Amino acid sequence: MTFYIAPRFLQKLSVHITKNFIDLPKVKVPLILGIHGRKGEGKTFQCELVYQKMGLEVVHISAGELESPDAGDPSRLVRLRYREAAELIRVRGKMAVLMINDLDAGAGRVDSGTQYTVNTQMVNATLMNIADNPTNVQLPGSYDETPLHRVPIVVTGNDFATLYAPLVRDGRMEKFYWEPSREDKIGIVGGIFSEDGLSSEDVVTLVDHFLDQSVDFYGALRSRLFDEQIEEFIHRVGVEKVGAAVVNTKHPPAFRPPNFSLGHLLEQGELMVKEQQRLQNMRLVWEYNQALYESRFQGQESPVFFSSPHSRTEDPPATVDSQPGDDLPGLASGVSSPEVGASAPQSIATSLDSDLARQVQSLVAQGYPIGIEYVDPRRFHTGTWKSCHTIPVEQAGEALAQLSACLQEHQGNYVRIFGIDSAKRRVLETVVQRP
């Protein structure tokens, strides 16, 4: 398998590391490089590839090591690992780096429910102290006057806004937001499938079809293609004998290359996207947690009403019996909905036909909150709908006003509405505008 290093990533990381090993006159070089971005975009793996290419020695710390029942242990560990990296530079005569993965998960404060411990404070303070005095890092209970070699620190994470603000200030930490471009994804995916006979045109088609997916999606997709053979293997040897067949055996099982055709990859990828949608739409915690369940009746918006970044409407929505009744005032065919805001021009007011009015009335009559979503034409086939607004129950007029505003704001996009039943399922989902 051929691994691809994004040029922008290689440039940023190599410059930061090299800069910390050069004595630039009257220049204060930040010791820490913070690489942040969305999950699954290959931040850590790209770092490892750069380290291998540059021939670096790497000392690792994970976020799970930044908490301990004994106060002071995590901060002592940070100092100890830093000194180990400095010793590697001195003894082996090679560049070394201290790598801290998922720093925000171990030392960040996500919300008011996150416990902020003494260890968390000390880890932040220790990193700040090392960034300010990189050649004088002492262990508790001892003092060595011999200056250490400066060791660049690379940290990864998703949201560095959760960290202690003085730690991430300029001068201590240089920030690098990593979001692979389409060209980067094509290069990475081409490397993933380099030994599988997938042509460059097929790679481009695959990336464009799942352009909104993270990089790890494609690695998981390749792994998924072996599932059929593994299932066949388990069936052949028997579930009871799988352990003996794969552990401490002289003849481990061998598998033939699966079907790596573009059509098969797209089919399996669609199944994975569908599972992502189910995960985002179910939100069973909102059904099982009474406090969260009742919050939606107090005017609070529930996350279930928002589509996931990769949501796709594959399953047919549940239906409810229509209860037409009388049309709401002002909603006859060809009659404009109320203007939203005094500055909205009359010519842009959206006309809602009687069928749509009956649907809105039916949803409100049955006590369903109403969700409104939109998506641009380019992302319509990938299902990346975005929430426009969510209307609580018993507010038909407000629902129509918000629908009119959304249609006005997103005239060139697809717009759909739906109701939310008590089981957090979408009902009567309808696309009401097509560009």
Side-chain angles (χ1 to χ4, degrees):
M1 184 180 294
T2 303
F3 297 117
Y4 172 88
I5 305 177
R8 186 164 56 95
F9 201 103
L10 174 62
Q11 178 186 10
K12 189 69 177 181
L13 193 53
S14 61
V15 167
H16 174 78
I17 293 172
T18 305
K19 206 170 168 183
N20 273 277
F21 282 90
I22 297 177
D23 186 14
L24 298 175
K26 298 181 180 180
V27 175
K28 181 174 177 57
V29 179
L31 185 73
I32 306 173
L33 173 64
I35 304 174
H36 61 115
R38 295 184 179 276
K39 59 182 174 62
E41 297 293 7
K43 297 180 290 294
T44 301
F45 189 63
Q46 287 284 307
C47 286
E48 295 295 341
L49 294 178
V50 174
Y51 298 154
Q52 292 179 16
K53 191 175 184 66
M54 296 183 67
L56 295 174
E57 297 284 347
V58 187
V59 177
H60 291 277
I61 299 179
S62 71
E65 296 178 283
L66 300 182
E67 187 55 76
S68 169
D70 300 320
D73 272 3
S75 59
R76 184 179 186 279
L77 176 67
V78 172
R79 293 177 177 274
L80 182 62
R81 298 279 171 86
Y82 185 90
R83 291 180 64 91
E84 288 178 4
E87 187 69 8
L88 287 174
I89 297 173
R90 186 185 70 83
V91 174
R92 300 187 181 182
K94 297 174 62 178
M95 291 193 297
V97 63
L98 177 62
M99 176 79 174
I100 306 178
N101 288 309
D102 305 311
L103 178 63
D104 56 333
R109 191 169 190 178
V110 178
D111 53 32
S112 59
T114 305
Q115 186 177 11
Y116 202 72
T117 66
V118 172
N119 279 327
T120 306
Q121 295 175 337
M122 295 180 68
V123 166
N124 280 287
T126 298
L127 289 173
M128 291 165 55
N129 177 257
I130 294 176
D132 294 339
N133 304 281
T135 61
N136 183 19
V137 179
Q138 306 296 330
L139 293 176
S142 64
Y143 187 80
D144 184 1
E145 295 182 353
T146 306
L148 298 175
H149 201 291
R150 184 185 180 100
V151 180
I153 300 176
V154 177
V155 301
T156 64
N158 299 121
D159 188 0
F160 285 162
T162 63
L163 296 175
Y164 187 50
L167 173 62
V168 299
R169 72 165 174 80
D170 296 330
R172 284 184 177 140
M173 179 186 292
E174 184 174 2
K175 278 75 69 179
F176 174 48
Y177 180 72
W178 171 238
E179 183 178 22
S181 64
R182 176 177 176 272
E183 290 70 25
D184 291 331
K185 286 188 177 181
I186 290 173
I188 294 171
V189 175
I192 292 174
F193 294 97
S194 60
E195 299 177 357
D196 303 321
L198 206 63
S199 67
S200 56
E201 293 80 8
D202 289 345
V203 170
V204 172
T205 302
L206 181 64
V207 170
D208 286 340
H209 190 82
F210 300 110
L211 190 59
D212 294 320
Q213 295 292 336
S214 59
V215 169
D216 65 348
F217 171 86
Y218 302 95
L221 175 58
R222 185 178 187 275
S223 173
R224 185 186 179 100
L225 297 185
F226 288 87
D227 288 359
E228 295 178 357
Q229 296 186 52
I230 295 176
E231 289 176 4
E232 180 183 345
F233 165 75
I234 295 174
H235 180 72
R236 186 174 67 250
V237 303
V239 174
E240 301 82 359
K241 299 180 180 179
V242 169
V246 298
V247 179
N248 294 331
T249 177
K250 295 181 179 179
H251 304 286
F255 301 98
R256 65 183 184 279
N259 178 14
F260 284 105
S261 66
L262 178 61
H264 191 48
L265 287 169
L266 294 177
E267 177 186 357
Q268 294 298 317
E270 290 292 345
L271 294 176
M272 293 174 61
V273 171
K274 193 172 182 179
E275 290 300 325
Q276 292 176 355
Q277 181 195 2
R278 286 199 181 101
L279 178 66
Q280 294 296 326
N281 289 346
M282 288 298 291
R283 300 282 185 174
L284 292 178
V285 65
W286 290 86
E287 180 178 348
Y288 300 152
N289 189 314
Q290 190 66 25
L292 296 176
Y293 178 76
E294 293 176 351
S295 67
R296 73 186 186 99
F297 296 105
Q298 300 172 359
Q300 301 179 22
E301 294 182 353
S302 166
V304 73
F305 300 148
F306 296 87
S307 292
S308 85
H310 313 301
S311 65
R312 180 186 295 270
T313 306
E314 297 281 356
D315 295 330
T319 58
V320 294
D321 295 333
S322 177
Q323 300 176 359
D326 297 330
D327 290 348
L328 293 176
L331 294 180
S333 179
V335 179
S336 298
S337 62
E339 290 183 7
V340 179
S343 61
Q346 181 67 28
S347 60
I348 305 182
T350 305
S351 296
L352 303 178
D353 59 28
S354 58
D355 290 338
L356 180 55
R358 291 191 184 96
Q359 180 178 338
V360 173
Q361 184 183 23
S362 175
L363 291 171
V364 172
Q366 296 176 72
Y368 295 137
I370 299 174
I372 308 173
E373 295 178 335
Y374 68 93
V375 65
D376 60 48
R378 186 173 70 88
R379 292 184 171 86
F380 175 72
H381 294 291
T382 61
T384 52
W385 293 82
K386 297 181 180 179
S387 176
C388 190
H389 212 279
T390 303
I391 312 300
V393 296
E394 299 179 356
Q395 295 187 21
E398 178 68 15
L400 294 168
Q402 293 296 339
L403 176 57
S404 176
C406 189
L407 291 170
Q408 173 185 330
E409 182 179 357
H410 304 285
Q411 296 182 62
N413 298 332
Y414 291 86
V415 178
R416 70 184 180 189
I417 66 170
F418 53 90
I420 307 293
D421 66 10
S422 60
K424 303 299 185 293
R425 294 188 298 262
R426 299 186 178 208
V427 298
L428 212 61
E429 184 175 87
T430 306
V431 177
V432 299
Q433 175 175 285
R434 296 176 180 271

